[in-house]
Amino acid sequence: MLQSSSERLAVTNFRKKLSAPLTKNQINVLQINLGKRCNLACSHCHVEAGPKRTEELSPEICEQLIELIYKFPQIKIVDLTGGAPEMNYGFKPLVAAAKETGKQVIVRSNLTIYFVEGFTDIPEYCAEHQLRIVASLPCYLQDNVDKMRGKGVYDVSIQALQWLNKLGYGREPHLILDLVYNPQIPSTEKFSLTPSQDKLEKDYKMFLQEHFEICFNSLLTITNLPIGRTKLHLERQKLYSPYLHFLESNFNLGTIAHLMCLNELSIDYLGNVYDCDFNQMENLRAKTPDGKTLTVAKLLAAGSLDLIAQVQTANYCYGCTAGCGSSCGGALVEK
């Protein structure tokens, strides 16, 4: 008996792939999404950020986050994202609090923000405070970058990387510059996993050095999860279910122990708490064992960051667990 298309593409509930629920470890990473303001509107952006978005951190939530950073020495990394985090309220105050308490600060930058009026001091500011920059460059070739991020973005990104190199980024041990690769959003059912991170890093380094004398530390490969603008694109092309099915078919149980959601809290600009940035964009709130959602204010009142027993999951979690896995820190296991 022939199966219908919907039956062939039925996706197994992600929770059924696990022998046990994902349990939280002690929290040591605080990832903060400062808002949706951005000077770009990239086609693959799961945050759906852009120049017309106005949502950003409020002074009240910023003060709560600063108190959180000071109160909990178990936080080792403060990871600032957006939108363009540099554009949104609270960027420099949060950096100051994190650096004063000895935490590593990651800034997830689109690079082009350095040339926007009012933000041209950012490269020097990052170097002065020894911030780790994780910069989006979804390909080392111009055509692919401009298709995903907008015409002219590649050239400006190259100028930004050269600027950072002159400041010592990618050269001096305390000035870390990592690049992020995202694959093109699928337009047909010829899906593919992200390439080998190590091999692609070598290709990036060779090309950028040969053509622009640019150096950087590491390349992070990130799978496009079917959420945000990627989900909208897949739905328009009637590829959403096939893509999820493809990710499921490449599920790798070996990635589970390395998932970023296990030891981090993701905070939105309203102060709500999530297990990861992807759950944040899908409004899947983190919950306590008795089913209550959390906010920064509740964490402060409880005097603990470790109130979550189990990670909330959804079928898009196949994106983090397919092949070598994917996270804000790149691949999870070796190919």
Side-chain angles (χ1 to χ4, degrees):
M1 184 177 178
L2 292 175
Q3 290 179 305
S4 69
S5 174
S6 61
E7 287 174 324
R8 289 198 308 271
L9 297 176
V11 175
T12 305
N13 188 298
F14 183 78
R15 288 191 295 273
K16 293 184 178 180
K17 290 284 188 180
L18 307 175
S19 57
L22 295 181
T23 55
K24 280 284 197 187
N25 300 324
Q26 185 182 57
I27 300 302
N28 56 29
V29 178
L30 190 66
Q31 186 176 71
I32 305 169
N33 189 304
L34 278 71
K36 297 182 183 290
R37 292 179 62 209
C38 189
N39 58 307
L40 300 178
C42 301
S43 63
H44 64 295
C45 181
H46 68 280
V47 181
E48 299 183 70
K52 295 182 180 179
R53 303 301 294 262
T54 58
E55 305 96 319
E56 66 177 337
L57 202 65
S58 68
E60 178 186 6
I61 301 300
C62 183
E63 286 303 314
Q64 291 177 5
L65 286 165
I66 289 171
E67 184 178 350
L68 202 73
I69 289 168
Y70 276 100
K71 188 169 186 175
F72 295 103
Q74 72 189 71
I75 299 171
K76 304 303 180 187
I77 298 173
V78 175
D79 187 344
L80 302 178
T81 184
E86 305 97 328
M87 285 186 78
N88 288 273
Y89 182 86
F91 173 68
K92 289 184 178 179
L94 289 169
V95 167
K99 294 303 293 186
E100 190 168 331
T101 52
K103 306 180 195 311
Q104 182 189 49
V105 179
I106 296 174
V107 179
R108 298 190 180 271
S109 182
N110 67 27
L111 295 174
T112 64
I113 188 64
Y114 303 161
F115 301 93
V116 175
E117 185 179 356
F119 303 98
T120 55
D121 67 317
I122 294 297
E124 282 78 8
Y125 175 84
C126 290
E128 178 186 353
H129 293 86
Q130 299 183 10
L131 310 186
R132 176 185 169 194
I133 296 175
V134 176
S136 178
L137 192 72
C139 185
Y140 55 78
L141 300 175
Q142 179 173 5
D143 186 53
N144 288 349
V145 172
D146 285 357
K147 279 181 181 177
M148 293 178 73
R149 307 187 66 208
K151 187 176 181 181
V153 168
Y154 181 82
D155 288 340
V156 176
S157 298
I158 293 299
Q159 292 176 47
L161 291 172
Q162 291 171 331
W163 186 352
L164 291 172
N165 277 175
K166 288 180 181 177
L167 294 171
Y169 271 99
R171 303 180 188 278
E172 299 178 14
H174 59 284
L175 295 177
I176 304 299
L177 172 61
D178 296 331
L179 301 184
V180 174
Y181 163 87
N182 290 92
Q184 295 284 313
I185 301 175
S187 294
T188 71
E189 290 195 25
K190 292 182 179 180
F191 305 124
S192 61
L193 297 173
T194 54
S196 164
Q197 184 167 276
D198 289 342
K199 182 181 182 304
L200 190 58
E201 179 181 297
K202 292 175 184 175
D203 293 342
Y204 262 73
K205 287 186 171 179
M206 184 181 298
F207 185 90
L208 293 176
Q209 179 62 46
E210 180 180 339
H211 290 82
F212 305 108
E213 297 184 343
I214 287 171
C215 61
F216 65 95
N217 294 94
S218 300
L219 180 72
L220 313 178
T221 57
I222 298 182
T223 300
N224 287 324
L225 268 68
I227 59 177
R229 290 195 183 119
T230 298
K231 180 180 180 180
L232 294 173
H233 168 85
L234 292 170
E235 288 176 337
R236 284 195 297 268
Q237 301 294 323
K238 298 183 179 178
L239 293 172
Y240 176 74
S241 291
Y243 184 60
L244 262 182
H245 188 265
F246 167 77
L247 294 174
E248 182 198 349
S249 68
N250 286 279
F251 173 75
N252 180 358
L253 189 62
T255 62
I256 296 299
H258 308 283
L259 291 171
M260 62 183 180
C261 55
L262 300 181
N263 67 328
E264 79 167 26
L265 296 180
S266 173
I267 314 292
D268 69 11
Y269 61 92
L270 297 172
N272 298 313
V273 178
Y274 306 81
D275 292 305
C276 71
D277 186 55
F278 302 122
N279 280 0
Q280 181 183 145
M281 295 311 124
E282 290 292 295
N283 199 30
L284 183 59
R285 301 271 297 274
K287 292 182 179 179
T288 61
D290 58 358
K292 294 180 181 178
T293 57
L294 290 168
T295 63
V296 176
K298 289 179 181 178
L299 295 175
L300 288 169
S304 174
L305 298 179
D306 300 301
L307 301 177
I308 304 163
Q310 296 182 5
V311 174
Q312 300 297 307
T313 60
N315 285 345
Y316 51 77
C317 297
Y318 284 121
C320 290
T321 55
C324 293
S326 176
S327 74
C328 291
L332 300 175
V333 296
E334 294 182 2
K335 198 172 182 65

